[in-house]
Amino acid sequence: CAVRHYKFDVVMKNTTRLCSSKPIVTVNGKFPGPTLYAREDDTVLVRVVNHVKYNVSIHWHGVRQLRTGWADGPAYITQCPIPTGQSYVYNFTITGQRGTLLWHAHILWLRSTVHGAIVILPKRGVPYPFPKPHKEAVVVLGEWWKSDTEAVINEALKSGLAPNVSDAHTINGHPGPISSCPSQRGFTLAVENGKTYLLRLINAALNEELFFKIAGHKLTVVEVDATYVKPFKIDTVVIAPGQTTNVLLSADQSSGKYLVAASPFMDAPVAVDNLTATATVHYSGTLANTPTTLTAPPPKNATAVANNFINSLRALNSKQFPALVPQTIDHNLYFTVGLGINPCPTCKAGNGSRVVASVNNVTFTMPTTALLQAHFFNISGVFTTDFPANPPHKFNYSGTPPTNLQTTTGTKVFRLAYNSTVQLVLQDTGIIAPENHPVHLHGFNFFTVGKGLGNYNPKTDPQNFNLVDPVERNTIGVPAGGWVAIRFRADNPGVWFMHCHLEVHTTWGLKMAFLVENGKGPNQSLVPPPSDLPKC
Ligand code: C2O
């Protein structure tokens, strides 16, 4: 295994999309940012230098960070942010993972433009558990705003209302050939008839779940969130912010150009950016003036199309890559996730109230000292350990809002003993509207053992859980008006954030943290912080 060195200069860069320009925060001047390549077992050192006016931190989304929480990146959770003019070296080892992940800024709304791919190749000499592709391509899906995204969220926080949606979706940074500004032609994947391509799909959008499809071609899904799955063929992939999906594309047409489409998936009556981002698959030998074969994206509320993909996912569970699903549970947790309304006397547009979000009726308050530092150095008064294992008011999902939408606030964490096993049921409240929440857990992969609609029933639902080959992920959609059950082993000491990966919901407070204690054996403790760890 090797040591890989990267330098990420966070710089402003004037960037033109949709026929207009604005300065954006970037890594090394690129949108999307550079791809980070490593092999399983490699150590990665990324020196991040902050040249912009904002405080910055970078998260390596899905990297397990075994005992190295100091390199995880969420601002005020595992580190204080990097101030203007300063730098920090993220130092971590890739352990037991291979596949596609993403990195992104983890402070304010900077991840709208500060994001990129992480490609983890298998150990040298270890083949993929599927036919070797002729070539590979990273396909980053995202959003583009004509206005400054910090202004978008600040405006929303002032009013108490929902923020504006983006002005376009993007594929590798471009809205594509079919857009309101077609002069920028967008991403083109050049293919040869008879060859197979591995596409590493990443949803780096702030607030939009996306459908992905290619005209005239089926896709073979082989991996999600850097874990192998049993391969299956499908027309349309659905991918939530923070999730990744590897698919094989066989170039089985003789020639031609085929449209690639990324369009929104939203099964709640809330505003989305309705525009479809496009790109082109171009067969070699095809004449330039050949018309592109088009495809119609699914309607935005095509829940059946999304479920067809989601319900097909199974862990590969081979001898070499077994699914190590915890068969017993030490902590049986039930968390409600959803939106609510709190009073806000200054919110004029919101009529004296504001939208908030919560987990078990707690709207998480960001601390001003990083939780991991407070934990490691025993600084009191930063957080409390009374995060409830169940909602304080018994929750009953009936599809109609209960009368009390209000939440309490606090910086509460849930404490887990080292190596304890956790079953966590995440129940969508649908109080304002049933809405799919893609919940991301830092520091762990988990197994998705069950899901359903309506209320979770603790007596009958576990009888149907899949404890054999459930898909292993780091980000899971809690179904609109339903629940999902996950299991994981708390084998990673530290403080680990869990939140909805729709950035607007994170901002509103749909977040909490687990505190995993050190074990007693060797190599069961959080390592000490690096000397260049930023101070608050
Ligand atoms: Cu990709 Cu805490 O996020």
Side-chain angles (χ1 to χ4, degrees):
C1 42
V3 180
R4 310 219 177 206
H5 293 267
Y6 281 88
K7 183 156 182 251
F8 277 21
D9 281 299
V10 181
V11 291
M12 298 305 295
K13 173 85 179 177
N14 216 42
T15 305
T16 305
R17 295 290 187 274
L18 297 177
C19 300
S20 74
S21 298
K22 65 169 185 174
I24 61 170
V25 184
T26 67
V27 165
N28 300 349
K30 297 204 172 95
F31 172 73
T35 298
L36 195 153
Y37 290 92
R39 268 185 201 283
E40 183 178 347
D41 290 346
D42 284 354
T43 292
V44 181
L45 298 174
V46 190
R47 171 178 291 280
V48 176
V49 190
N50 181 3
H51 304 275
V52 302
K53 68 177 181 186
Y54 303 104
N55 286 339
V56 165
S57 77
I58 307 250
H59 169 50
W60 319 92
H61 178 121
V63 173
R64 293 258 353 247
Q65 302 288 5
L66 272 173
R67 303 167 53 224
T68 55
W70 309 107
D72 191 38
Y76 301 106
I77 304 297
T78 58
Q79 67 166 98
C80 301
I82 307 165
T84 305
Q86 293 189 26
S87 70
Y88 177 49
V89 179
Y90 290 88
N91 180 345
F92 54 90
T93 299
I94 310 270
T95 311
Q97 291 183 284
R98 73 301 297 169
T100 307
L101 295 169
L102 68 156
W103 57 265
H104 61 76
H106 211 305
I107 186 166
L108 306 169
W109 273 29
L110 297 186
R111 84 172 159 92
S112 64
T113 54
V114 180
H115 61 245
I118 302 177
V119 172
I120 308 169
L121 300 168
K123 295 181 211 189
R124 209 171 279 286
V126 176
Y128 293 133
F130 45 82
K132 187 176 171 7
H134 175 58
K135 277 190 178 146
E136 302 190 357
V138 165
V139 179
V140 181
L141 311 178
E143 290 162 304
W144 182 261
W145 271 262
K146 285 186 180 162
S147 32
D148 180 71
T149 43
E150 293 311 316
V152 169
I153 182 57
N154 288 336
E155 186 46 46
L157 288 176
K158 225 164 71 196
S159 71
L161 301 175
N164 289 343
V165 298
S166 55
D167 296 295
H169 294 112
T170 54
I171 298 177
N172 282 343
H174 288 279
I178 302 179
S179 83
S180 60
C181 176
S183 67
Q184 291 183 327
R185 296 202 15 252
F187 174 66
T188 297
L189 179 73
V191 301
E192 281 173 56
N193 161 262
K195 302 260 157 89
T196 299
Y197 299 81
L198 178 68
L199 306 185
R200 298 174 175 274
L201 310 178
I202 295 169
N203 186 344
L206 281 184
N207 292 322
E208 307 267 353
E209 300 199 36
L210 295 166
F211 288 120
F212 179 89
K213 63 191 291 196
I214 302 178
H217 294 79
K218 282 198 185 295
L219 303 167
T220 304
V221 181
V222 292
E223 183 218 302
V224 295
D225 295 4
T227 71
Y228 292 131
V229 300
K230 290 190 177 76
F232 62 95
K233 274 196 163 102
I234 204 139
D235 288 310
T236 308
V237 168
V238 69
I239 180 164
Q243 292 183 328
T244 56
T245 303
N246 281 5
V247 297
L248 294 172
L249 167 71
S250 5
D252 52 10
Q253 305 292 314
S254 52
S255 68
K257 293 192 219 166
Y258 297 85
L259 194 74
V260 180
S263 63
F265 165 51
M266 173 52 76
D267 48 7
V270 300
V272 292
D273 172 354
N274 269 314
L275 298 172
T276 300
T278 52
T280 313
V281 168
H282 189 130
Y283 278 75
S284 76
T286 302
L287 296 176
N289 60 358
T290 306
T292 302
T293 304
L294 301 180
T295 183
K300 73 168 186 192
N301 61 355
T303 308
V305 174
N307 281 340
N308 188 32
F309 171 78
I310 294 164
N311 296 340
S312 303
L313 293 169
R314 293 279 180 286
L316 180 62
N317 194 28
S318 63
K319 256 220 181 82
Q320 197 180 3
F321 302 104
L324 301 173
V325 190
Q327 300 292 316
T328 57
I329 35 184
D330 299 321
H331 295 276
N332 197 351
L333 308 178
Y334 175 79
F335 291 0
T336 55
V337 294
L339 306 185
I341 305 230
N342 275 5
C344 171
T346 60
C347 294
K348 293 216 174 59
N351 263 331
S353 61
R354 67 158 67 249
V355 182
V356 292
S358 63
V359 183
N360 272 353
N361 300 84
V362 181
T363 295
F364 187 88
T365 311
M366 288 308 278
T368 50
T369 298
L371 300 185
L372 193 61
Q373 283 166 310
H375 165 57
F376 188 84
F377 294 108
N378 268 315
I379 306 168
S380 61
V382 178
F383 61 83
T384 57
T385 55
D386 56 345
F387 191 90
N390 289 281
H393 313 287
K394 197 170 158 22
F395 179 78
N396 183 15
Y397 181 82
S398 62
T400 51
T403 44
N404 181 11
L405 309 179
Q406 286 185 30
T407 65
T408 58
T409 55
T411 308
K412 298 176 191 291
V413 307
F414 194 93
R415 199 182 264 278
L416 298 170
Y418 179 79
N419 221 26
S420 58
T421 52
V422 181
Q423 175 172 293
L424 169 58
V425 174
L426 295 160
Q427 168 85 52
D428 176 36
T429 63
I431 284 173
I432 291 185
E435 190 172 345
N436 183 329
H437 295 284
V439 171
H440 171 47
L441 175 60
H442 288 229
F444 299 93
N445 284 341
F446 50 73
F447 292 94
T448 305
V449 296
K451 86 189 228 297
L453 291 178
N455 284 318
Y456 168 69
N457 183 326
K459 289 204 178 64
T460 54
D461 284 323
Q463 291 164 16
N464 303 317
F465 282 179
N466 175 0
L467 302 178
V468 177
D469 63 352
V471 66
E472 185 179 354
R473 314 205 65 146
N474 62 58
T475 305
I476 185 69
V478 180
W483 55 270
V484 68
I486 63 173
R487 286 191 183 189
F488 64 97
R489 179 176 292 279
D491 56 359
N492 195 4
V495 177
W496 304 106
F497 211 16
M498 188 177 79
H499 59 91
C500 179
H501 218 278
L502 301 176
E503 196 61 32
V504 55
H505 294 174
T506 317
T507 304
W508 281 337
L510 210 167
K511 49 195 172 187
M512 57 81 66
F514 288 101
L515 189 163
V516 179
E517 290 161 357
N518 285 337
K520 300 220 162 40
N523 301 325
Q524 294 182 351
S525 301
L526 175 66
V527 301
S531 58
D532 61 341
L533 186 74
K535 297 194 173 48
C536 286

